[in-house]
Amino acid sequence: MDQSLIFDLELINRYDKAGPRYTSYPTALELHSEFSESDYRQQIELSNRNGGPLSLYLHIPFCDTVCFFCACNKIITKNRQHAEPYLNHLIGEIQLQAELFDQNRPVNQLHWGGGTPTFLNASQMQRLMQATRDYFQLYSNDQGEYSIEVDPRETDSQTIAQLRELGFNRISLGVQDFNPEVQKAVNRLQSKSQTFAVLDSARAQGFRSINVDLIYGLPLQTVDSFAETLDQLIEKSPDRFSIFNYAHLPDKVKTQRQINAEQLPLPAVKLAMLQMIGQRLNAAGYVYIGMDHFAKPNDELAIAQREGKLYRNFQGYSTHSDCDLIGLGMTSIGRIADSYLQNTKDISVYAQRISTKQLAIAKGLLLTEDDRCRRAVITQLICHFYVEFLPIETEFSIIFADYFANELAQLIMMQQDGLLVLSNDKIQVLSAGRLLIRNICMVFDRYLVKKNQQFSKVI
Ligand SMILES: C[S@@+](CC[C@H](N)C(=O)[O-])C[C@H]1O[C@@H](n2cnc3c(N)ncnc32)[C@H](O)[C@@H]1O
Ligand code: SF4
């Protein structure tokens, strides 16, 4: 596959409108409160009939200090006592949910996200993993894809060793930017030495895939300052980089109001940053996976993409397409059979529901056949930059050219602009279209028309 990226400012300006990141389709905005517990139980029955491995996502919401840019679902507290009751409820939910699923289904994928999972202390992490092992079929031979998000400010080499011992084999480090002025502007002071110490420990402990999160578009960043951060990290040779575009939505994310908008880099500077990122990572041997993600060619994401087996879920790109995902913890999102569902965002409601042995679902969505068909097209495009019509036609009993006649007509303009090639049997995205992949996916999104203003821009 052609891995190159083309940075055409005129094209990007023309197409760069707000759009979803398609970690699901329909997006989480479509979830509604009419979705009931009985809907969920029906979907679990279907899921158990289909069988197959499971994926678990556990949400640990706490952070010690706030990073002003952060759009994650988190609770800021210096009080470590808050973790204990939450942990008890999380373990309660694990038990409640596990009882609904067939016991023989192995957990191929496990992810602890946050917030900051390592806000938990060593014995709390041990208890959480043990409870998960008690109620679900976790592998003990390192065969599963078990990953954790780690804030290097909240971790040391002892914790990394413990995480490996608990069964984690993939790790993601939040870094964002090393420049001291940028760090001050976003209230995240994090030294290179503490970051590298954690990265070195993870490698020494045999973590199979080490990812680094960076953000471009933060206040006071320049192309040169961000290049410096990137070069220092490239030297350390992590397996993957997730380089997110900072989404400044102060109306929606309160803490972002503490960021001085005048200090944000202009769109042209952000584009130059993106170009620099693409060039440097390419020169260092990383391939562009898509949507902010880069990986070494021998990383499992790059391999899955070459083999046509890449998938996208709420944690980003993934190699496990076939797993139903159980979300555990407040705000967590699951995907079971033909549904998506999300737990309550209110920690006290979560506690009350679980302590009275009820599930904590706040909203959900049953997918229609049309949703499933569009999801298949969008997932294929965003993961592999092409979609062949025949597999979609076979799976959904449609004639692609008829069913998507309107959408294909809309793509003609993108073809004329060199973003993609339309043929009788497939859509192939070209280099110039790779950075604009979500704009291409948006053509297939039936829900979008009314929602544009709620998403961040692509670049
Ligand atoms: C849950 S945090 C990672 C774990 C840990 N809390 C930490 O910060 O190291 C997930 C990642 O989301 C990204 N992120 C958060 N808010 C963002 C925003 N507004 N725009 C772009 N990326 C963002 C950051 O790169 C962050 O590392
Ligand atoms: S970026 Fe990570 S540490 Fe910072 S507030 Fe968000 S979740 Fe917490």
Side-chain angles (χ1 to χ4, degrees):
M1 196 206 302
D2 176 13
Q3 297 284 355
S4 60
L5 291 170
I6 290 181
F7 298 85
D8 181 326
L9 186 56
E10 192 277 320
L11 259 188
I12 288 172
N13 279 340
R14 190 139 46 86
Y15 280 100
D16 185 18
K17 54 180 179 178
R21 302 171 53 75
Y22 294 115
T23 51
S24 69
Y25 179 82
T27 67
L29 284 178
E30 301 307 324
L31 273 52
H32 54 77
S33 54
E34 278 103 85
F35 183 87
S36 66
E37 193 171 317
S38 94
D39 289 331
Y40 184 46
R41 286 177 190 270
Q42 269 173 20
Q43 292 300 312
I44 295 174
E45 253 175 56
L46 185 58
S47 169
N48 283 333
R49 269 206 302 282
N50 296 339
L54 290 170
S55 181
L56 304 182
Y57 172 78
L58 282 78
H59 191 73
I60 293 105
F62 306 105
C63 300
D64 177 85
T65 49
V66 69
C67 310
F68 293 153
F69 57 78
C70 182
C72 302
N73 283 312
K74 76 273 176 197
I75 294 173
I76 309 297
T77 178
K78 296 237 177 269
N79 183 352
R80 302 274 153 171
Q81 309 290 330
H82 282 161
E84 190 61 25
Y86 180 77
L87 180 67
N88 292 334
H89 295 129
L90 187 54
I91 290 173
E93 190 192 5
I94 289 171
Q95 186 175 359
L96 277 176
Q97 295 261 22
E99 282 164 0
L100 303 172
F101 288 85
D102 280 349
Q103 286 306 298
N104 57 2
R105 299 177 68 177
V107 175
N108 273 11
Q109 197 177 36
L110 169 82
H111 186 84
W112 285 11
T116 302
T118 51
F119 187 92
L120 301 181
N121 64 33
S123 84
Q124 289 169 329
M125 290 196 284
Q126 156 70 28
R127 265 175 61 211
L128 182 55
M129 190 59 108
Q130 190 53 51
T132 314
R133 285 191 185 280
D134 289 345
Y135 294 107
F136 286 100
Q137 288 292 330
L138 262 56
Y139 294 107
S140 34
N141 60 1
D142 226 18
Q143 193 185 324
E145 188 183 306
Y146 296 168
S147 53
I148 181 164
E149 292 167 15
V150 155
D151 179 344
R153 298 168 304 166
E154 280 279 347
T155 320
D156 55 20
S157 54
Q158 231 176 323
T159 311
I160 296 294
Q162 189 206 1
L163 293 174
R164 189 75 186 94
E165 215 163 276
L166 289 178
F168 289 105
N169 46 31
R170 298 356 184 225
I171 194 165
S172 176
L173 273 53
V175 178
Q176 327 313 345
D177 192 309
F178 280 143
N179 184 283
E181 297 307 313
V182 176
Q183 291 193 353
K184 252 187 263 164
V186 299
N187 197 39
R188 181 175 176 124
L189 305 183
Q190 174 172 342
S191 73
K192 268 174 260 178
S193 60
Q194 67 191 151
T195 306
F196 293 156
V198 169
L199 209 151
D200 291 341
S201 304
R203 184 150 295 135
Q205 290 295 334
F207 276 86
R208 226 173 293 160
S209 188
I210 302 176
N211 174 74
V212 166
D213 281 349
L214 296 174
I215 304 182
Y216 75 97
L218 292 176
L220 301 176
Q221 273 179 342
T222 64
V223 178
D224 287 346
S225 76
F226 198 62
E228 209 175 306
T229 293
L230 189 57
D231 285 346
Q232 287 165 338
L233 283 156
I234 288 173
E235 284 264 298
K236 302 299 288 184
S237 195
D239 304 281
R240 298 179 195 170
F241 279 97
S242 304
I243 309 192
F244 300 111
N245 173 12
Y246 170 55
H248 190 60
L249 301 166
D251 292 340
K252 272 180 74 188
V253 184
K254 267 197 202 145
T255 56
Q256 291 184 355
R257 293 177 201 160
Q258 300 191 66
I259 286 180
N260 180 353
E262 283 172 15
Q263 294 180 340
L264 293 173
L266 296 169
V269 176
K270 281 180 82 175
L271 188 67
M273 279 184 196
L274 190 57
Q275 188 160 14
M276 176 279 291
I277 292 163
Q279 282 163 353
R280 284 190 194 220
L281 287 178
N282 188 275
Y286 291 84
V287 295
Y288 179 62
I289 300 292
M291 292 289 300
D292 321 314
H293 291 268
F294 296 81
K296 284 185 178 169
N298 60 353
D299 185 81
E300 60 199 348
L301 282 191
I303 295 171
Q305 190 172 53
R306 281 200 297 279
E307 293 177 349
K309 294 180 185 158
L310 196 63
Y311 193 67
R312 197 158 162 80
N313 65 14
F314 295 106
Q315 279 77 61
Y317 287 100
S318 149
T319 58
H320 287 283
S321 59
D322 46 355
C323 295
D324 275 345
L325 167 69
I326 307 175
L328 297 153
M330 61 177 286
T331 77
S332 67
I333 304 184
R335 194 205 88 167
I336 302 296
D338 293 332
S339 69
Y340 291 114
L341 61 147
Q342 183 167 29
N343 272 348
T344 175
K345 293 184 174 178
D346 183 327
I347 193 167
S348 52
V349 174
Y350 179 74
Q352 185 270 328
R353 295 283 280 277
I354 300 297
S355 56
T356 52
K357 303 248 178 292
Q358 301 173 75
L359 295 172
I361 304 167
K363 47 190 178 173
L365 174 81
L366 293 171
L367 277 83
T368 63
E369 185 74 354
D370 177 72
D371 291 335
R372 296 201 310 113
C373 178
R374 287 172 190 272
R375 175 171 71 182
V377 173
I378 288 173
T379 304
Q380 178 62 25
L381 279 170
I382 211 161
C383 290
H384 297 106
F385 297 107
Y386 70 87
V387 58
E388 285 172 351
F389 299 165
L390 187 59
I392 303 284
E393 292 180 328
T394 312
E395 188 176 351
F396 297 99
S397 307
I398 58 161
I399 305 294
F400 199 99
D402 294 343
Y403 195 86
F404 291 117
N406 277 339
E407 287 78 1
L408 290 174
Q410 288 177 58
L411 292 183
I412 289 173
M413 168 96 146
M414 292 186 169
Q415 173 163 255
Q416 284 163 358
D417 283 331
L419 302 191
L420 50 85
V421 176
L422 286 172
S423 53
N424 287 337
D425 59 354
K426 74 176 198 173
I427 302 163
Q428 176 70 56
V429 177
L430 300 176
S431 294
R434 289 162 69 86
L435 282 176
L436 294 165
I437 189 64
R438 64 171 157 169
N439 300 78
I440 298 171
C441 292
M442 281 153 73
V443 171
F444 291 90
D445 185 337
R446 201 169 62 82
Y447 298 87
L448 204 60
V449 190
K450 53 185 192 291
K451 292 256 150 57
N452 259 352
Q453 64 283 12
Q454 306 201 35
F455 296 106
S456 59
K457 289 253 207 142
V458 176
I459 305 299

